[in-house]
């Protein structure tokens, strides 16, 4: 149970081998958004999402661990898509760049999207390396403003690698 100001949110695991399977893990808080960070594992997918600590509503869903930029303007999420055999990078806007904007929430049929996708990219030559639940060493923002991503080349996919054979890629994200 997640205690929120307006209600208590209950996320219940559904332990089955069917499409209804769902397991949740509390990962902590994201104080910049007054939110709880939750990992959801489903029958053939997973996501990370934020529950607002005031309203109890889901305010954002990400393909993998959401890494907040040092200036708090962007969130980056990086994962490997096993179905399309590509690495995916999604960059989301947080709305922190200008608090007077009207467009930080986008409405669609399903829900309000608090963190709209600015852009997404697909890569085939490298794979992000992840520990369980998005360790800070998987990808992170450096104090220099660059994003650092722990990777391996695609041709080494499926091989067991020693830690020293892993590399970090430095990425400059332009606003």
């Amino acid at each position: 149970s997640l205690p929120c100001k307006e209600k208590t949110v209950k996320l219940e695991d559904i332990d089955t081998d069917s499409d209804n399977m769902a397991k949740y893990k509390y990962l902590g808080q994201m104080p910049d958004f007054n939110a709880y960070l939750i990992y959801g594992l489903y029958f053939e997918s997973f996501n990370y999402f934020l529950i607002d600590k005031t309203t109890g509503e889901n305010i954002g869903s990400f393909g993998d661990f959401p890494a907040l930029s040092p200036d708090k303007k962007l969130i980056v999420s990086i994962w490997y898509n096993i179905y399309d055999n590509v690495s995916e990078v999604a960059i989301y806007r947080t709305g922190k760049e200008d608090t007077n904007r009207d467009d930080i929430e986008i409405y669609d049929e399903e829900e309000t999207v608090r963190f709209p996708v600015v852009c997404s990219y697909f890569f085939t030559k490298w794979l992000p390396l992840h520990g369980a639940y998005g360790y800070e060493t998987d990808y992170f923002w450096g104090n220099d403003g660059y994003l650092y991503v722990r990777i391996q080349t695609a041709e080494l996919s499926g091989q067991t690698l020693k830690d020293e054979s892993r590399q970090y890629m430095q990425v400059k994200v332009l606003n």
Side-chain angles (χ1 to χ4, degrees):
S1 294
L2 300 171
C4 300
K5 197 173 207 174
E6 296 177 8
K7 66 182 178 180
T8 298
V9 175
K10 293 186 184 221
L11 299 171
E12 296 184 26
D13 291 351
I14 302 170
D15 198 10
T16 179
D17 289 334
S18 72
D19 291 348
N20 297 335
M21 189 274 275
K23 294 184 180 182
Y24 301 100
K25 181 168 179 65
Y26 170 80
L27 297 179
Q29 300 182 34
M30 291 193 78
D32 291 297
F33 304 111
N34 188 39
Y36 297 112
L37 177 61
I38 309 297
Y39 170 77
L41 176 64
Y42 314 104
F43 187 66
E44 291 188 355
S45 66
F46 65 91
N47 69 351
Y48 292 72
F49 58 96
L50 299 175
I51 299 293
D52 185 281
K53 290 171 61 177
T54 300
T55 66
E57 299 300 317
N58 180 339
I59 60 168
S61 182
F62 307 94
D64 209 300
F65 190 83
L68 181 63
S69 65
D71 63 6
K72 303 184 183 346
K73 293 180 180 180
L74 300 172
I75 292 174
V76 169
S77 185
I78 302 171
W79 65 97
Y80 181 68
N81 182 326
I82 62 171
Y83 300 106
D84 294 331
N85 205 27
V86 296
S87 298
E88 297 186 29
V89 178
I91 301 174
Y92 304 83
R93 187 176 67 232
T94 66
K96 298 279 186 184
E97 67 276 0
D98 182 354
T99 56
N100 295 321
R101 293 179 70 137
D102 293 330
D103 64 344
I104 63 169
E105 293 185 353
I106 296 175
Y107 298 90
D108 64 20
E109 295 174 11
E110 297 294 320
E111 60 186 49
T112 300
V113 179
R114 168 104 180 265
F115 306 104
V117 175
V118 174
C119 58
S120 59
Y121 299 97
F122 302 92
F123 297 94
T124 58
K125 303 292 183 193
W126 59 267
L127 311 173
L129 292 173
H130 291 306
Y133 311 119
Y135 290 123
E136 291 179 356
T137 56
D138 292 340
Y139 53 95
F140 59 91
W141 293 92
N143 291 334
D144 57 3
Y146 284 88
L147 178 69
Y148 292 88
V149 183
R150 190 168 66 135
I151 63 166
Q152 74 180 41
T153 59
E155 60 259 4
L156 296 177
S157 177
Q159 297 181 25
T160 302
L161 301 175
K162 296 179 181 176
D163 282 340
E164 59 269 11
S165 67
R166 296 178 177 157
Q167 308 167 42
Y168 280 89
M169 177 173 54
Q170 181 185 45
V171 180
K172 179 68 175 174
V173 178
L174 304 174
N175 289 335

